[in-house]
Amino acid sequence: MSTATSSRQGGEWLQSWDPENDQTWDKALAWRTLWITTFTLTMCFVAWFLPSAIIPKLNALGYSFSKQELYWMSAMPGLAAGLLRIAWMVLPPIMGTRKMVALTTLLLFFPILGWGVRVQNPSAPYWELMVLAFLAGIGGGAFSGFMPSTSYFFPRRMQGTALGLQAGIGNFGVSLVQLLTPWLIGFSMIGFLGGSQAMKVPGKPSKEVWFQNAAFVWLPLILIGAAWAWTALKSVPVKANVRQQFDIFGNQDTWWMTLIYIMTFGTFSGLSAQFGLLMGNLYGSGNAAIVSGSGAAAKILVPGYAVPDPVSWVFWGPLIGAGARVLFSPLTDRMGGAIWTLVSGLGLIASIVYTIPALTPDTSSAAALQGDFRQFLVGMFLIFLFAGIGNASTFKQMPMIFEKRQAGGVIGWTAAIAAFGPFFFALGIGVMGATLFYWVGVAWAVMCVAITWVRYARKGAPKPG
């Protein structure tokens, strides 16, 4: 994007900023910006996925929501993130990096505070929790502002690594909240902010927990991140009003890359939000019981079957996906993004097909159930791996495919649409059932592999990237 030279002078606004000019590029400033925005983006993902760690336990804390109500509640942060990303994608040129990052981070304080208050007493009405779930989507919406904003600070040759590091480390916020929640709720480290609760799981003794810890522990870090961004960040003056930013929709590659990024980040975010609920619904939530079927599912007792606790497993999937995004980003700078997007699509097809049989557990024996559960875990982890690879490769492709002025807008737009992943996964699994929905995922990945090969990856492709 071209830099503005008129109204934005001095203070936070950089002058004559050109990362492609090695003689004048301030490398230290670029990397400082990356690390600050990465820290705050991690907090954004924590806020976005905090409901996914709390919602599966609401009934155990004393609420009495139906399975469908819980699915819809878990879908709400994804719906909000997709809608809010459309707004956030136009903010970087308008607000600048400093104001946008600092104020967005500060907004996270309110939904996290709300969840910490409402888990302490199971008296909140359903609509209020739905509002809190929607507000958590602010953390997801921020992605479409943070990523294009960071891209202004780096030359094209380094944007695969820079954006991969920011998005990948930011994605670790998903695993962080899912990994730490079971530990944080186990002791009264900040008990003065509220009493304990009795968590009651069928077939197990009641357990004393402090579930507010899972929310309140992040509040100081959010305030620190907002203050750090406000005092240390600078902004690149960019000429791009809202009307100019929306000319990306006249470029066919905007639409092709949107479909592809739905395959990669839509899968990552959707499965991250639904992994725990899906595992619980398929493989049980009692001492020796599993839930099979759909709707008013019946519990089937299987002697000798060790029921898995979803909280022991759900953080691994997002951790694998985020790690792949970080580790493969430098490879995309060296080898190009298109080839790795092709690998991602082919890997997703194979791993989804491998997982599908495990979506209908064999309840004939404990051994059969355990075998299906192992296949389910391996398949899900492979899906996360290949989705993470694709998340890295697509963000290398976009700065290469599009002119500099458009690349930030396309990154924001594709991220906005893919953020609907948690919503569509909840809706698809709830309405279609897991098996049919996974076959839809296979068909989508086949389509994206064809697009990638024809448009970007083959020799002589129109837009190699």
Side-chain angles (χ1 to χ4, degrees):
M1 290 188 177
S2 58
T3 56
T5 58
S6 55
S7 60
R8 296 177 174 181
Q9 302 289 332
E12 71 177 276
W13 298 99
L14 299 168
Q15 305 303 314
S16 303
W17 180 258
D18 183 8
E20 304 298 339
N21 185 342
D22 288 336
Q23 302 299 317
T24 60
W25 178 47
D26 189 341
K27 184 176 181 181
L29 173 61
W31 283 100
R32 183 171 78 240
T33 301
L34 177 67
W35 297 129
I36 294 172
T37 55
T38 297
F39 174 78
T40 52
L41 184 63
T42 302
M43 292 300 101
C44 288
F45 272 86
V46 165
W48 188 18
F49 280 87
L50 179 65
S52 74
I54 293 176
I55 290 168
K57 297 297 184 183
L58 286 178
N59 286 350
L61 294 172
Y63 286 96
S64 56
F65 298 124
S66 69
K67 185 189 298 185
Q68 286 297 111
E69 286 176 320
L70 292 175
Y71 267 127
W72 276 108
M73 195 185 301
S74 67
M76 193 53 57
L79 175 63
L83 295 173
L84 294 174
R85 282 188 179 189
I86 297 173
W88 254 262
M89 65 178 276
V90 302
L91 292 183
I94 297 171
M95 294 182 68
T97 300
R98 174 175 170 258
K99 291 188 181 74
M100 182 197 64
V101 172
L103 295 178
T104 299
T105 305
L106 191 60
L107 284 176
L108 305 176
F109 188 90
F110 301 102
I112 289 183
L113 177 65
W115 279 109
V117 170
R118 279 316 192 179
V119 294
Q120 296 181 62
N121 188 342
S123 60
Y126 183 68
W127 69 264
E128 184 176 330
L129 295 181
M130 289 288 277
V131 169
L132 287 175
F134 186 91
L135 291 177
I138 292 171
F143 189 87
S144 283
F146 284 37
M147 297 296 286
S149 177
T150 299
S151 72
Y152 300 161
F153 288 84
F154 286 87
R156 292 177 69 182
R157 71 179 187 279
M158 296 180 63
Q159 287 189 12
T161 297
L163 296 181
L165 285 171
Q166 181 174 38
I169 295 173
N171 289 168
F172 278 124
V174 182
S175 287
L176 201 60
V177 72
Q178 293 176 340
L179 171 64
L180 293 183
T181 293
W183 175 70
L184 290 170
I185 67 176
F187 57 96
S188 179
M189 62 175 179
I190 46 179
F192 65 91
L193 293 176
S196 64
Q197 305 90 45
M199 188 166 69
K200 300 175 182 179
V201 177
K204 294 183 179 180
S206 177
K207 180 181 179 182
E208 185 180 21
V209 294
W210 290 263
F211 229 99
Q212 67 270 25
N213 293 357
F216 289 159
V217 71
W218 304 110
L219 296 179
L221 295 175
I222 286 169
L223 294 178
I224 290 169
W228 190 18
W230 186 262
T231 56
L233 289 180
K234 299 290 185 180
S235 299
V236 177
V238 173
K239 281 185 178 177
N241 59 34
V242 173
R243 182 185 59 80
Q244 289 173 321
Q245 291 185 70
F246 280 98
D247 71 356
I248 61 174
F249 300 123
N251 188 328
Q252 64 170 302
D253 289 296
T254 298
W255 302 106
W256 300 133
M257 291 305 300
T258 299
L259 295 175
I260 292 169
Y261 199 58
I262 290 171
M263 175 187 73
T264 61
F265 187 78
T267 297
F268 171 84
S269 61
L271 286 186
S272 294
Q274 297 300 320
F275 195 7
L277 274 176
L278 184 61
M279 185 186 301
N281 287 334
L282 291 175
Y283 288 94
S285 57
N287 265 347
I290 69 158
V291 180
S292 66
S294 59
K299 288 190 174 181
I300 303 173
L301 299 178
V302 180
Y305 172 59
V307 175
D309 183 358
V311 299
S312 300
W313 295 103
V314 293
F315 70 90
W316 283 107
L319 184 67
I320 291 169
R325 189 168 197 165
V326 172
L327 293 175
F328 280 83
S329 290
L331 292 177
T332 66
D333 272 338
R334 287 200 292 270
M335 300 173 63
I339 185 64
W340 286 108
T341 300
L342 199 64
V343 169
S344 169
L346 293 171
L348 282 169
I349 293 168
S351 53
I352 296 171
V353 170
Y354 174 81
T355 307
I356 285 173
L359 301 177
T360 50
D362 183 352
T363 61
S364 62
S365 68
L369 258 179
Q370 295 286 16
D372 283 350
F373 179 65
R374 283 192 293 271
Q375 182 172 344
F376 173 76
L377 278 183
V378 171
M380 292 289 282
F381 291 161
L382 287 173
I383 293 172
F384 275 109
L385 171 66
F386 287 108
I389 292 172
N391 288 338
S393 61
T394 50
F395 267 54
K396 172 60 178 178
Q397 284 182 267
M398 284 183 271
M400 305 302 293
I401 293 170
F402 298 93
E403 62 174 279
K404 195 171 185 180
R405 189 184 64 76
Q406 288 190 324
V410 175
I411 288 172
W413 166 257
T414 57
I417 300 305
F420 285 110
F423 173 74
F424 286 122
F425 268 70
L427 183 65
I429 292 172
V431 174
M432 304 164 88
T435 299
L436 178 57
F437 185 72
Y438 272 53
W439 278 116
V440 171
V442 172
W444 193 279
V446 169
M447 173 186 68
C448 290
V449 165
I451 292 170
T452 302
W453 174 254
V454 171
R455 187 76 182 163
Y456 307 115
R458 65 183 173 87
K459 186 176 180 180
K463 291 284 186 177

